[in-house]
Amino acid sequence: MTVLNRERNEEALAAAGEVLRSRSLTQLAIARFLRNRVAVGATLIVAVMILMATFAPLFELMTGYEMDFQDRNFYSGKAPDWDAKHYFGTDQNGRDIFVRTMFGMRISMLVALVAASVALVIGVSYGAISGLAGGLTDTIMMRILDLLISYPLTLIAVIALAYFGRNIFIVFIIIGLVEWQIMARVIRGQVISLRNSDFIEAARAAGVRPIGILVRHIVPNVTGVAIVYMTLIIPEVILVESFLGYLGLGVQEPNTSLGVLISEGANAIERKPWMTYGPGMFLVVLLLALNFVGDGLRDAFDPKDR
Amino acid sequence: MSDRDTILSVENLSVHFRLGGGVFSRASIVRAVENVSFALQRGETLSIVGESGSGKSTLARAVLRLVAITKGSVILNGENLAQLSNNEVRKRRQNMQMVFQDPIASLSPRRTVEQIIAEPLMVHQPELSGEERSAKVRDTMDAIGLLPDMRNRYPHEFSGGQAQRIGIARALIVEPTLLVADEPVSALDVSIQAQVLNLLSDIKRQRSLSLLFISHDLSVVQHVSDRLLVLYLGHVMEVGAAKDIYANPQHPYTKALLSAVPTIDFSANKPKRTRLTGELPSPTVEHVGCPFASRCPMAQAICNEQKPQLNTVEGRDVACHFPG
């Protein structure tokens, strides 16, 4: 008869412990994300597009960005021609649209990064302060937010751009300034539910300082949600920039963005319809892929789906 | 017992909450705890019982000053917590720790067991080195019956009973003199309840800890309590030695509570249950008379007019005009 003793139990548990590595919530979320094939595929697409935008000058070497002065139809632009390596055709100035699209993506992605970061910083601080303060402060901050949400923000962006001039970084920051509100709402809700949770009270009962509670207990539990909403804000930011570019308020020549390229194509759509195809396709694929990545992250971080 | 062994003394404690009260509406006041006094000796277990909404948890939190005290005093080791600043209370928390009702929700989901258990140490003994802290965590885990290789795991990997052991380890690592346990076993399976209760009473004996035990489960309370305090709408109904109260309750509310405990007794002379009718009245009303009068089977005219004071009846204190 086998006698189970404490020592042998502990040996067995120690051996099992080496095999069964413990996994944190973040590791579990990553594992869940990797199981989501659509999200993983979308992540790969976004990664490829980021690489293409990063190495845009290489495409310039490959296809020739310079204007083709020998061509008699120089000003009319050319339809897509794979033999001439003009994959998306050329525009009315004879510039290769594929290369222009790669350079346009650079600006669109830069906008996404800068504006979404601005939105993240403002949204998280505003939401966290509002949620933690509670009471009258919370009420006033939320009513101000309601007021801002009820304004057409693109209009504010247009007015601000007309006032401050069309510097590219002003464009980025203004877009960030108009896109933070939903982030603030979401973070405030999270902070309020965390503030009333048992483990925060346990930390208070243990004697942790308020700043320690914020840093060690609230921030780590909010980051997941903040990252998810940031990926959902990015497509919106790209879209707003494209809209501003379409109105002629975005970046200035010779810089370009996906929105500016589509706008140029739209102006010539009767005679040179191909000018919108390439940039339009890239914009749609980029936005869709980013949305799928955001959805995948949201599902992965959802604690209800463990 | 001599007075020197009194760890905690609560005098005329009241906790009121303001409810609502905006620009257009008047605030109503919830009287969660009203004029409660009791004392707790070293190594003693006092259980606070009452139905949902009776103010048990609020009383526990007020003793630890986790909610603001409206009136009265809470004297722990000779100091009145009600008069200290928040920061000074924070420093005293080494002496008073708490175990929570929902074991898993009371553990931060993104921290490892070691980080959770070590947190009170980081606050109250910051001079310890990382190694000393780890050693203390390991010792405490061992005393509570947790295996050392659980250190680097996360709360979601544990069952309720194990999670509650982690919560108890966190409370005990700073060696408090007072432990407040707010329904520590009500979220656990019955078989696990017994384990956790035995653990608590072992620890209490070994460390001569004073335990304030909150529960609505009278069969659980019977096993752990030295003394019992029955709370109804924030008022003390009956307080005294647990044995006496279980054997012979004097307050009609205590009688009704005890008769509601399920028993396995098929004999013909099984005591009849006293059924209470009606709901718990709103805690926003200030009572002129006895708060229990609206549901009391023995209520008379005087019960609605005059609030009964605590009187010594059969060796314990009872707040009733017609005890017995």
Side-chain angles (χ1 to χ4, degrees):
Chain A
M1 211 172 97
T2 344
V3 180
L4 289 176
N5 58 32
R6 193 187 159 100
E7 237 169 75
R8 286 178 65 177
N9 273 343
E10 279 180 0
E11 268 172 38
L13 276 165
E18 280 169 29
V19 183
L20 290 167
R21 290 273 304 288
S22 180
R23 296 202 293 179
S24 76
L25 282 187
T26 317
Q27 286 166 324
L28 284 176
I30 291 169
R32 263 201 305 274
F33 184 80
L34 291 178
R35 276 203 300 274
N36 184 344
R37 284 189 196 163
V38 177
V40 171
T43 311
L44 287 178
I45 290 175
V46 173
V48 167
M49 287 181 131
I50 289 172
L51 281 177
M52 286 171 97
T54 313
F55 295 107
L58 290 183
F59 293 108
E60 188 180 355
L61 290 175
M62 196 172 83
T63 60
Y65 189 70
E66 74 277 11
M67 301 170 191
D68 191 353
F69 294 109
Q70 306 305 313
D71 191 348
R72 266 194 288 159
N73 295 326
F74 172 57
Y75 284 110
S76 61
K78 280 193 291 206
D81 181 352
W82 285 70
D83 294 331
K85 290 184 177 169
H86 292 309
Y87 303 119
F88 292 168
T90 59
D91 65 5
Q92 62 269 55
N93 294 330
R95 293 177 295 192
D96 181 72
I97 293 175
F98 181 72
V99 175
R100 295 272 290 164
T101 306
M102 294 304 111
F103 277 95
M105 278 213 301
R106 283 185 144 188
I107 298 288
S108 290
M109 283 173 176
L110 206 59
V111 168
L113 205 67
V114 177
S117 304
V118 171
L120 179 81
V121 170
I122 298 176
V124 169
S125 359
Y126 195 93
I129 291 169
S130 183
L132 275 181
L136 193 63
T137 320
D138 182 37
T139 311
I140 291 171
M141 285 177 86
M142 281 302 115
R143 291 301 81 75
I144 291 172
L145 196 60
D146 287 344
L147 207 70
L148 288 175
I149 285 176
S150 65
Y151 273 94
L153 292 167
T154 343
L155 185 69
I156 294 176
V158 169
I159 293 168
L161 281 175
Y163 188 78
F164 290 114
R166 286 163 53 186
N167 182 303
I168 186 167
F169 279 96
I170 289 179
V171 175
F172 295 170
I173 288 164
I174 283 172
I175 295 173
L177 286 176
V178 300
E179 286 291 337
W180 58 272
Q181 288 111 337
I182 292 168
M183 178 77 93
R185 272 271 165 87
V186 170
I187 296 297
R188 170 181 171 267
Q190 284 285 319
V191 169
I192 285 177
S193 76
L194 282 174
R195 195 185 60 186
N196 297 328
S197 66
D198 276 3
F199 68 87
I200 298 290
E201 187 163 44
R204 285 210 299 140
V208 182
R209 281 194 183 80
I211 186 83
I213 290 177
L214 185 70
V215 172
R216 285 210 291 274
H217 297 282
I218 290 183
V219 169
N221 283 295
V222 164
T223 29
V225 182
I227 289 170
V228 169
Y229 274 85
M230 191 165 157
T231 57
L232 293 176
I233 281 179
I234 284 174
E236 201 153 320
V237 165
I238 293 177
L239 213 55
V240 171
E241 194 279 329
S242 297
F243 175 70
L244 289 176
Y246 188 85
L247 291 180
L249 287 166
V251 295
Q252 278 180 303
E253 290 282 0
N255 283 327
T256 190
S257 74
L258 291 177
V260 172
L261 285 171
I262 293 168
S263 156
E264 283 173 0
N267 287 334
I269 201 153
E270 285 167 10
R271 285 170 299 120
K272 295 183 272 288
W274 62 83
M275 281 179 66
T276 54
Y277 297 163
M281 193 181 75
F282 266 78
L283 181 67
V284 168
V285 172
L286 181 63
L287 295 184
L288 265 179
L290 282 170
N291 263 311
F292 280 125
V293 173
D295 280 351
L297 281 176
R298 193 186 50 202
D299 292 345
F301 275 102
D302 191 352
K304 274 172 278 177
D305 177 44
R306 197 159 271 169
Chain B
M1 250 178 249
S2 74
D3 252 12
R4 262 182 310 180
D5 275 352
T6 303
I7 295 293
L8 172 76
S9 146
V10 172
E11 281 156 26
N12 305 322
L13 178 69
S14 294
V15 179
H16 297 173
F17 297 113
R18 279 168 62 87
L19 203 66
V23 183
F24 303 108
S25 58
R26 273 213 4 245
S28 51
I29 289 171
V30 176
R31 294 157 203 281
V33 174
E34 189 80 4
N35 209 13
V36 170
S37 303
F38 62 86
L40 187 59
Q41 315 294 327
R42 180 181 297 279
E44 186 187 40
T45 303
L46 172 67
S47 289
I48 299 173
V49 298
E51 59 195 295
S52 308
S54 59
K56 314 184 286 289
S57 290
T58 308
L59 178 55
R61 282 168 171 74
V63 165
L64 296 178
R65 244 194 75 174
L66 288 171
V67 296
I69 293 166
T70 311
K71 259 195 306 220
S73 54
V74 175
I75 296 162
L76 179 74
N77 301 327
E79 279 183 303
N80 187 355
L81 296 181
Q83 284 168 352
L84 294 177
S85 73
N86 281 337
N87 201 38
E88 280 175 287
V89 171
R90 211 174 52 73
K91 287 175 195 152
R92 309 292 188 281
R93 293 200 181 283
Q94 177 159 17
N95 295 323
M96 45 176 190
Q97 288 286 319
M98 182 161 178
V99 176
F100 291 83
Q101 175 169 13
D102 185 338
I104 294 183
S106 72
L107 306 177
S108 195
R110 294 189 186 276
R111 317 204 81 210
T112 62
V113 170
E114 172 150 16
Q115 289 174 321
I116 289 169
I117 297 178
E119 183 150 51
L121 270 188
M122 315 240 305
V123 176
H124 297 292
Q125 293 166 30
E127 69 280 1
L128 290 183
S129 71
E131 268 172 47
E132 288 172 311
R133 209 183 301 131
S134 286
K136 267 204 146 167
V137 169
R138 241 173 290 132
D139 290 348
T140 312
M141 285 177 76
D142 193 45
I144 304 301
L146 292 164
L147 293 173
D149 51 287
M150 293 173 173
R151 271 199 333 273
N152 297 318
R153 293 215 244 148
Y154 291 85
H156 63 92
E157 299 174 75
F158 291 94
S159 66
Q162 284 173 313
Q164 195 57 290
R165 282 172 192 267
I166 296 169
I168 293 171
R170 167 176 60 189
L172 291 178
I173 195 159
V174 287
E175 289 161 17
T177 45
L178 170 68
L179 183 66
V180 176
D182 184 9
E183 307 236 16
V185 296
S186 65
L188 306 176
D189 291 343
V190 177
S191 57
I192 312 293
Q193 283 190 0
Q195 288 178 16
V196 172
L197 288 174
N198 288 336
L199 175 69
L200 277 175
S201 45
D202 288 349
I203 289 163
K204 193 201 87 177
R205 231 187 345 267
Q206 285 160 14
R207 311 193 175 200
S208 64
L209 201 67
S210 304
L211 188 62
L212 195 61
F213 190 91
I214 318 285
S215 184
H216 64 263
D217 187 339
L218 287 158
S219 53
V220 163
V221 165
Q222 192 166 14
H223 290 288
V224 294
S225 323
D226 300 318
R227 288 198 305 138
L228 194 64
L229 187 150
V230 181
L231 212 58
Y232 182 83
L233 276 180
H235 292 73
V236 178
M237 297 286 106
E238 187 164 359
V239 54
K243 262 194 304 223
D244 298 346
I245 294 180
Y246 272 94
N248 180 19
Q250 291 295 308
H251 197 285
Y253 180 62
T254 318
K255 283 181 188 166
L257 266 188
L258 287 175
S259 77
V261 177
T263 49
I264 305 173
D265 183 359
F266 298 108
S267 57
N269 59 357
K270 180 181 177 177
K272 233 187 138 207
R273 277 186 64 182
T274 320
R275 281 176 201 275
L276 292 182
T277 51
E279 291 286 311
L280 202 65
S282 163
T284 52
V285 183
E286 188 171 11
H287 294 276
V288 186
C290 175
F292 185 54
S294 62
R295 297 167 80 190
C296 183
M298 303 166 70
Q300 313 257 332
I302 186 177
C303 295
N304 282 316
E305 288 154 14
Q306 206 186 331
K307 204 177 258 187
Q309 301 302 313
L310 281 173
N311 288 312
T312 308
V313 181
E314 304 236 347
R316 89 291 303 261
D317 290 340
V318 183
C320 183
H321 293 298
F322 307 101

